[in-house]
Amino acid sequence: MKRKPMCHKVNRIVYHKTLILLLFIQALTLNLFAQERKSAVLVGNNQNVLWYTKPAENWNEALPIGNGFMGAMIFGGGAKEHLQINENTLYSGEPSTVYKNVDIIPTYDKVVSLLRNEQNLEAEKELRKSWLGRLHQNYEPLGDLYLEFEANGKITDYRRELDIENSVARVSYTQNGVRYKREIFASNPAKVIIIKLTASKPGALNFKANFSSVHPTVNQSRVNGNTIKLFGQAPGYAERRTLKEIESFGDERKHPELFNEYGQIKMGKQVLYGDEIGGLGMFFESRLKAITKKGTVTVKNTGLTVKDAQEVVLILAAATSYNGFDKSPSKEGINPAIKNSAVLKAIESKTYNKLLAAHVADYRNLFDRVKLDMGNAAGKSKLPTDQRIIQFRSTHDNAFATLLFQYGRYLMISGSRKGGQPLNLQGMWNDLVLPPWNSGYTLNINAEMNYWPAEITNLTECTPPFFQMIKEISINGKETAKKMYGIDSGWVAHHNVSIWRETFPNDRDPKAAFWLISGGWLSSHLWEHYLFTGDKQFLKNEAYPIMKGAAEFYLSWLVKNENDQWVTPVSTSPENDFYTENHEKGSVSMGSTMDMTIIRELFNRTVKASDILRLDTKLQADLKDRLAALLPFKIGSKGQLQEWQYDYEDTEPDHRHISHLYGLYPGNQITAESTPDFFRAAKKTMEMRGDESTGWSMGWKINVWARLSNGNHAYKIIEDLFTPVGFKGLNGANGAEKTFSGGLYMNLLDAHPPFQIDGNFGYTAGVAEMLLQSHAGFIQLLPALPSLWSKGKVSGLKARGSFEVSMSWDNQKLIKATIVSNEGGNCRVRSAIPIKVKGVKAMVATGKNPNPLFDFINPSKLNDKLRSTTNSVGVNGDKYYTIDFMTEKGETYQLLPE
């Protein structure tokens, strides 16, 4: 038998290997092509999609998108699409319009003497007269983009949706046998909003695009053959108070823009543009560019027209002349046209698919960190979002509760990114020249509440705009401390600011306007960032100088009361009143509980920070000395935590603010272990306050009930939050709209009412707090799990100590927890069941807690085994199991039931 030559065998081997290689390359190429195709036709998880069967009829039904710099509300009309546009630096006014003529020094002694003699109303009159300023300036809408389609005929199979898993909005419908689709997203990498329009038939896409604006200063014009622009100027001064209100306050002198030196009206309106205000006001520009391979684009000053196309991509850019909080945008501003030209130039060579892929990758890098699954009520995800709101109380739709939790994270990623402005009362979405509460930063709860979920839900990259604002406030606050209070050290701010960082008080009513403890509250966010991240350079360079400045001011501000205790000399509990002994309504006193709680917290944390950094030993000693004699918490005659130094009677027992509970949440001075009596008093306070409230206050209460370890009561507030607001045809039946409380609009934005975004963020933080807590010196797993959340899993939540925690549970009991240690050090964990730790490098912890990122109140000795020990929390009588173990940076540890 003849043997085949060896070369033939070698050739066959080479051939087969080459064929395999070619097939592999082909498969890889097809896979990459498929991935790019997939990125262009993303379909989100049904659990993470808001969707509707009709267009938005009003702003509170439109869907928000944003990239941290600009945002839009999408209405989704078939014949006429409407995008209402915001750019988050666009405000009325300038630094020169900030009112600074407030000086309390001439009347300080008089006011303090009145308060010491319990003449509260007389003191309050003096505050109204000479201790208040005027309102901050307003966040402004930029304009509106309209797309008017030529197609006529009945629209069928309509759907509009917001896919929060990919941060993409879509509209689709059928008309005259043609399927029309829109895909809209706001890209942070590209700094633009992109709209892709398609039709299922060639030449079927015909529409006109044009801008408009609520500002009378705008002009629309042609830029080139495929681009139009809108240019305008925001008000140089805008005052939300009516002229009659200003006159009734006797505040004409505070508004020289509107009244002359004799108190006579100069301008019969509240909003001044251009020449009416000496040319002041921020300039803005928006550009729309159209790209199509087939069809034609025609551009005139009246708008942009697309004819006979099948696919069109529109790119929307926006910018303002803002150049910093301390610079005039009209005289020292940056030309917005230059900004927009640069943005559009940077992306002109990129395809739609690449822009979409970059956007989704950037967004999901943040969004995908936390996943929550608590099951799905049968078929409920197939219902439109508005119907799920209506049915929530009766269906206990856990997947919908999860969707709202993730929606809060979506809104934060969309509205707060490095280099942009922080989220204000309306986030970054506003359509009014004079919006509610000026759409500003309210510092007595709302601005801080916006950022409650940032650290715990693993979105620390969204905090830089907030921290930058705090830094800018502290700069302006030094002038206010010296000019208004005669205090040379430190800084101070009051309860409302805008982009111009006004630190003097607002007008009208001291119970809201005269509150100067925001410096302490803002400082707490800086310290918490350190606890969650372990970033010592941030603590040294960013946090500590601001904390120190706030502490120095309060050291100078405090006075002794009749019991030789340090108190704030002139004080309010934000926006609330009390009855004096004479049954007169008052709001001004000395040493309110919120004042003292925040100052105590700030002093303690400043001492800790200075000790860690080995700085300012003299300041440490002064703060420790003052801490020893601060007015403590007090329990009232009804067993409640007192809101004021004296046991005043509430004028409004169910008031929306629960400021005196700051020490329970968001602070950590009141815990079941360290302060059981005050813990019980806090619970009594919540029972007295009741559950019904405004939308944002419900978000606050969810967190407080979670801290009280009462998951079922927290869930009761969640049910209340899912009250439909603004729904046609609902009159209170079956959990429908009630006119006396807040809830949710159809687009899932929080209804105060009106819209305030802090309720969304309060809810998201509250859900996280029900699942994980770390404020009391340990990580507590499932601390407030309601009975309706009996089974689920969560991953990616953050705990103080710089730990990342994932868990699964069933029948309300922990199945497994995984903890990633980002900084190393001791990890102390508490659970409702006995637990043990598994880890490749788990070590027994010995001695005192070596982890400075656990903000202990009363640290106790560490457990010396890798198994949990039992300890009982006396307040509720519940048993808990605690374990300590040392961790190494970057290692992962499993906790399992014993």
Side-chain angles (χ1 to χ4, degrees), residues 203-224:
L205 203 51
N206 298 276
F207 64 91
K208 180 178 179 180
N210 69 285
F211 286 114
S212 71
S213 178
V214 292
H215 301 297
T217 57
V218 298
N219 176 59
Q220 179 178 263
S221 62
R222 180 183 187 275
V223 176
N224 55 41

Side-chain angles (χ1 to χ4, degrees), residues 3 34 43 72 136 185 190 238 273 294 309 333 339 347 363 382 390 458 466 471 493 597:
R3 301 179 83 185
V43 178
H136 51 299
F185 62 93
Y273 289 93
K294 297 181 179 180
K339 294 181 184 180
I347 62 172
Y363 173 80
K382 297 179 181 179
I390 294 169
N458 218 332
F466 188 46
K471 185 176 183 178
T597 306

Side-chain angles (χ1 to χ4, degrees), residues 355-396:
L355 289 168
L356 177 59
H359 158 68
V360 172
D362 167 77
Y363 173 80
R364 294 194 67 161
N365 176 54
L366 297 170
F367 184 81
D368 284 353
R369 292 177 185 175
V370 173
K371 297 185 182 297
L372 175 61
D373 183 357
M374 296 188 295
N376 182 24
K380 292 303 173 184
S381 61
K382 297 179 181 179
L383 290 175
T385 300
D386 50 329
Q387 293 303 309
R388 292 179 81 178
I389 299 174
I390 294 169
Q391 296 182 23
F392 183 83
R393 286 176 183 264
S394 60
T395 60
H396 306 300

Side-chain angles (χ1 to χ4, degrees), residues 62 245 367 410 413 512 620 873:
E245 283 180 311
F367 184 81
Y410 164 82
I413 299 168
Q620 275 194 57
V873 179

Side-chain angles (χ1 to χ4, degrees), residues 51-113:
W51 71 278
Y52 308 84
T53 58
K54 61 179 182 179
E57 295 183 9
N58 56 63
W59 196 92
N60 290 319
E61 296 180 5
L63 295 173
I65 60 170
N67 61 16
F69 297 87
M70 61 185 297
M73 296 294 285
I74 303 169
F75 285 68
K80 187 176 185 179
E81 177 62 280
H82 175 198
L83 273 70
Q84 185 267 311
I85 307 164
N86 288 103
E87 204 276 358
N88 67 8
T89 61
L90 187 60
Y91 279 75
S92 64
E94 299 206 3
S96 63
T97 63
V98 174
Y99 186 79
K100 300 180 180 180
N101 297 325
V102 185
D103 181 2
I104 74 163
I105 299 171
T107 56
Y108 171 80
D109 289 339
K110 176 184 177 180
V111 168
V112 174
S113 177

